[in-house]
Amino acid sequence: MDEYTTDETDIPPDAQKVSDEELIEKYQKHFDKNVAMKLLVKLRKATRNKPKAIAGTAGAVVSVLGKLLSALENPATPKHMKALIIGAIGYIILPLDLIPDLTPVIGYGDDLASAAGVLAAVGIYSDFSLEKLDAYIDQMEAEK
């Protein structure tokens, strides 16, 4: 056996695998869907009447965050994928990360990069569209 392979005897007997449910429960403690939705709505309101070139990274965050939230809500999304989604959304909504979100233009760049891999894996579970989000925003504003 070479030095890069392991067999079952290398794993400590007290080590146990974490179930998907435990993983989701662990991450969900630090996740607030309402904060994510508020950020999504705020960014969409700020970018929806602007050309894509001007909306820039904030417009891209709207798309990524919307797709992640949609996939999270889909009952067909596997539980282990939901744990990844929660982590990616958490990274987007936390203002303190590798490049602070308050930094103009590039603040959300690292968030997008980190979420891109997760989105590639879960995109098939998302039915997000900007039209649905705009209708939701318009409905919220009409109720005020």
Side-chain angles (χ1 to χ4, degrees):
M1 195 183 284
D2 70 32
E3 64 185 275
Y4 298 107
T5 60
T6 61
D7 62 22
E8 292 177 18
T9 59
D10 293 336
I11 300 172
D14 60 341
Q16 54 180 310
K17 291 186 178 182
V18 177
S19 72
D20 292 339
E21 289 82 13
E22 291 171 322
L23 193 59
I24 290 173
E25 187 177 314
K26 176 184 174 186
Y27 287 116
Q28 216 155 12
K29 289 179 195 174
H30 308 286
F31 174 75
D32 185 349
K33 182 182 168 203
N34 292 328
V35 172
M37 278 302 296
K38 285 179 185 176
L39 177 62
L40 180 65
V41 168
K42 178 183 175 182
L43 290 174
R44 181 59 181 159
K45 282 181 175 181
T47 60
R48 75 172 163 173
N49 294 324
K50 293 186 173 62
K52 201 175 199 176
I54 294 173
T57 307
V61 170
V62 169
S63 179
V64 169
L65 185 56
K67 289 175 184 177
L68 290 173
L69 284 167
S70 173
L72 183 63
E73 292 296 313
N74 185 341
T77 304
K79 290 184 178 178
H80 68 280
M81 292 293 199
K82 287 186 178 193
L84 292 173
I85 293 168
I86 289 169
I89 292 172
Y91 193 76
I92 291 171
I93 63 176
L94 287 174
L96 300 174
D97 49 38
L98 187 60
I99 301 171
D101 296 341
L102 301 174
T103 306
V105 183
I106 61 168
Y108 285 111
D110 63 320
D111 299 356
L112 287 173
S114 68
V118 175
L119 185 58
V122 302
I124 60 171
Y125 300 105
S126 174
D127 68 347
F128 174 78
S129 73
L130 291 175
E131 293 78 21
K132 286 182 187 179
L133 179 58
D134 288 342
Y136 172 76
I137 292 170
D138 293 341
Q139 179 183 1
M140 281 180 24
E141 290 178 347
E143 291 175 1
K144 286 184 179 179

